[in-house]
Amino acid sequence: MLRFVVRRLFLLVPILIGLSLLVFFWIRALPGSPAEALLGERATPDSIAQARDQYGLDDPLYVQYWRYVQTVGSGDLGTSIASHRPITEELRERFPATIELAFSAMLFATLIGVPLGFFAAKRYGGIFDNSSLFLSLIGVSIPIFFLAILLKWLFAVNLGWLPSVGRQDVLIDAGHPTNFYVLDGIVTGNWNAAWDAAKHLILPGIALATIPLAIIARITRASVLDVQNEDYVRTARAKGLAPRTVDRRHVLRNAMLPVTTIIGLQVGLLLSGAILTETVFAFPGLGSWLQMAIENRDYPVLQGGILFVAMVVVVVNLLVDISYGLLNPRVRLAGR
Amino acid sequence: MRKILKAGVALGALSLLVAAVASGSAEGQAQAKDTLVFATEGEPTFLDPAIVSDGPSLRVADQITEGLVTVKPGTTKIVPDLATSWTGSNGGKRWTFKLRGGVKFHDGTPFNAQAVCANFNRWYNFPAAFQPDSVAYYYYTVFGGYRKPAQGITSDPLFSSCQVVNASTARINLRKPSASFIAALSLPSLSMQSPTALKKYKANAGTLSADGVLRPSGTYATEHPTGTGPYKFKSWKIGDKLVLERNDSYWGKKAKLKQVILRAIPDNAARLQALQSGEIDGYNLVEPQDISTIKRNSSLKIIDRPAFNVGYVTINSAKAPMNKLLVRQAVAHGLDREAVVKSFYGGRAQVATQFMPPQLFGWAKDVKKYPYNPARSRQLLQQAGLTLPVEIEFWYPTDISRGYMPDPQRNFQAFAASLENSGFKVVAKSAPWRPDYVARVQAGNAGHLNLIGWTGDFGDPDNFIGTFFRTPQNTWGPINPKIHAILNAALRETDLEKRTLTYQQANRLIMANLPGVPYVHTKPALAFKKSVRGYVASPIELEPFAPVSK
């Protein structure tokens, strides 16, 4: 097991180098440059030249790349051109926001998706099955931003039940030791703040959850259908176990294996979905940050941010592989 | 049936859950009454106005700090602020300011002539990292240079020295005569900040990062901005909120609300929905298409900001036949400006007759006007000895929306059609706004005609027609040198009445010579809850929260 983990960790190095190269050159291939983006219509040829000089944009690309690798190597991801703040500092604030959002989306997707898929499989071919299939089709195909605006229009604007923007009501005074706002509220004993932060997660969480929810429901359904016909399930039934116990112990447990993998693999999807969701909900996480950075041609943020996100995806995939091994002894054995 | 029943129960339970979640506590209800929550389009960069030029930063600074002069709310008229009066002498090179007595900065430091000179000397002595115009944009624009200019800063400084005549009198000596700098002193970037706080929190320390971005090393610009204004800084958490608190020992009329909270909501639709759901009290930069939605809502209102921009068609006289006045006149008569302004600006614009907005002093009522008249155009072209149709290259930008041209392509198409009616054959050319278009226009490399415009920074005509025509520029090609001369004279004139007359004369001369055809001034909009009162929109976005109540 340890060897497996170490080997996977070593594999990270070439992946990260490749990623940094890709991100670096891809960003520079975009039209426009931060010099022009910063100066806008007031740009004069002189001031653009001065800014290009200042940012070293006229140096050969390999020189710029080497400079980039050196600073990243020293633990400095650079400074945002738009906000003038160190990228590591911005990450410390924004990453927890996205984690919170992704976590609530995943929670929602799993809590609804798994039972939905399970019951659809149990009532294979029935109305419930067909309608859940139909709903999951809608879930996968509905554009996130459209759903987000719809949700806001209904629950925030018309019913006034839930907030439509941000992470917390601005009238609440709360400390933020960890930048996980719900956790902050609990840690500091400010239940009102925790509750308010949780409320701010509901609509964006639902919007972000739709695609994973649909996928999880479908995979669960397929997997339950598979497992149901396995020999050991039949044996369990034949043994006279109560149908509920068979479902819980034998069917659901084994059916969850592929679902776990899928949940892990959704992380990349969640992060890309976060770009839209966070923008629409003015949620100050990684997604809205990267979106602004694209608009501002904020190279350092794009580089640092994308590298960071890529790293997160790679690490999460590693964790999924490891947890899969823990859940399924057969995978572990095969690794020996 | 059972299934349907079960589904119904589940749905009911779900909506109960949502409703339960929704009924949050009502904490802060009382606080809400005494707080204005305003959404801006982005987070401030820094709270030290001397080193920023973006709207969100300047909006905050404008509440905390005050300048020697300010503008009358809602106008560009310069009125006293921390200086009660001022006089120019020595041909506009020496300016003496009488200062308001009994004013203190938020940290208790007295405001006096020493404080004024400390601020001027701070700007003039900015270290290299603070000098680029991406940092100290306004100081650099107005005052041109520094004591020790950094690499790349080539222009000569305007500022020479600041003298403490006595505690309540400060004198600014310039190297060249300038009258426009008085209006510029109303800019938040050139406002007075506490010398004690600047020093204590190391406002002048900073480095350029490897990416060439200023990283202040002190905490002044992020945690301790200190001025004399009606609101003082309380806290700022990026991504969450910035809180301003009433300055109860303010020298003037005190702020009506105890607290102002600014939150950044960059997405336009999100700002609108936050206002509709009551999470904010007002917001800046309403999209034209949202205005009717807001007007239809009985609890919301729109506040118009007076126009402070100009959209124009550049005529490059370096490219024949545009060197001929008759041809330029034919262009002016051939552009259906009324139709464009009427069709594409949703009733939020007016036709421009000259290169600056009517709110500004020096705007002239009696400039030569060129109503749309295709027959006259063709006649003028023939008089110029040309055979019709006259082929011209006309450029417009893509990938851009500006207040003065929300959709450049539409403007272009309408103008091209009206020009083709008027004896021209238009060759369409376009380029992305960034990075090519603006550079092309500035290099005089964007055809015979092109679409562009300008949004003003401060209330002085020099910021419009001075920027365009005071010095020769490739954009226009050669223009009547009298225009350069008169604009330079206007910049040196210290008497406001005479300056006004000079700028009026300049506008008449410009429109007779037609270096281009201005066609539109647009009015941006703000949206508020109906209950919010006292917000006065300003053409230059100097909008104090102090008189606002709800």
Side-chain angles (χ1 to χ4, degrees), chain B residues 376-511:
Chain B
R376 178 92 184 109
S377 285
R378 287 192 294 267
Q379 193 189 344
L380 285 164
L381 289 177
Q382 276 155 348
Q383 261 178 44
L386 299 168
T387 21
L388 303 190
V390 177
E391 188 172 299
I392 50 169
E393 209 175 83
F394 191 173
W395 284 69
Y396 67 94
T398 56
D399 301 334
I400 187 71
S401 170
R402 278 286 193 255
Y404 49 78
M405 51 175 183
D407 187 346
Q409 194 184 1
R410 265 195 324 210
N411 287 6
F412 166 81
Q413 284 165 346
F415 280 145
S418 77
L419 284 171
E420 299 230 319
N421 271 340
S422 312
F424 291 96
K425 183 173 184 310
V426 174
V427 180
K429 295 269 180 174
S430 68
W433 179 259
R434 297 196 286 241
D436 307 331
Y437 190 78
V438 178
R440 261 183 178 280
V441 171
Q442 282 169 345
N445 211 359
H448 296 92
L449 308 180
N450 58 63
L451 289 181
I452 197 155
W454 179 257
T455 304
D457 293 316
F458 55 92
D460 193 279
D462 191 60
N463 188 232
F464 279 86
I465 51 179
T467 311
F468 307 148
F469 307 120
R470 189 154 35 78
T471 52
Q473 285 178 17
N474 294 333
T475 307
W476 318 101
I479 62 173
N480 188 338
K482 260 197 215 152
I483 296 175
H484 305 314
I486 198 171
L487 287 170
N488 277 305
L491 189 65
R492 284 192 300 267
E493 179 57 64
T494 55
D495 182 279
L496 183 61
E497 246 172 76
K498 283 189 201 153
R499 274 194 90 201
T500 307
L501 291 174
T502 316
Y503 279 118
Q504 286 175 341
Q505 197 192 342
N507 276 318
R508 282 189 288 265
L509 192 61
I510 292 166
M511 288 315 291

Side-chain angles (χ1 to χ4, degrees), chain A residues 41-43 54-55 78-79 84-85 152 161 163-165 170-172 179 181 192 199 202 279-280 284 295, chain B residues 21-22 25 27 31 46 132 137 209 211-212 214-215 237-239 241 270 273 279 402 404 434 442 455 457:
Chain A
E41 71 196 348
R42 297 194 171 79
Q54 199 181 88
Y55 304 136
T79 308
H84 293 241
R85 297 169 69 226
K152 285 205 316 182
W161 289 357
S164 74
V165 285
V170 284
L171 291 177
I172 289 180
N179 277 324
Y181 279 22
N192 188 34
K199 265 175 24 181
I202 295 175
T279 301
V280 175
E295 232 165 68
Chain B
V21 161
S25 88
E27 187 194 282
Q31 207 185 347
F46 294 125
Y137 170 77
S209 74
D211 318 302
L214 173 69
R215 265 188 196 179
K237 178 158 171 57
I238 291 180
K241 62 184 165 182
Q273 286 189 315
E279 288 162 89
R402 278 286 193 255
Y404 49 78
R434 297 196 286 241
Q442 282 169 345
T455 304
D457 293 316

Side-chain angles (χ1 to χ4, degrees), chain B residues 177-190:
Chain B
S178 168
S180 77
F181 103 102
I182 292 286
L185 291 181
S186 66
L187 290 166
S189 290
L190 303 177

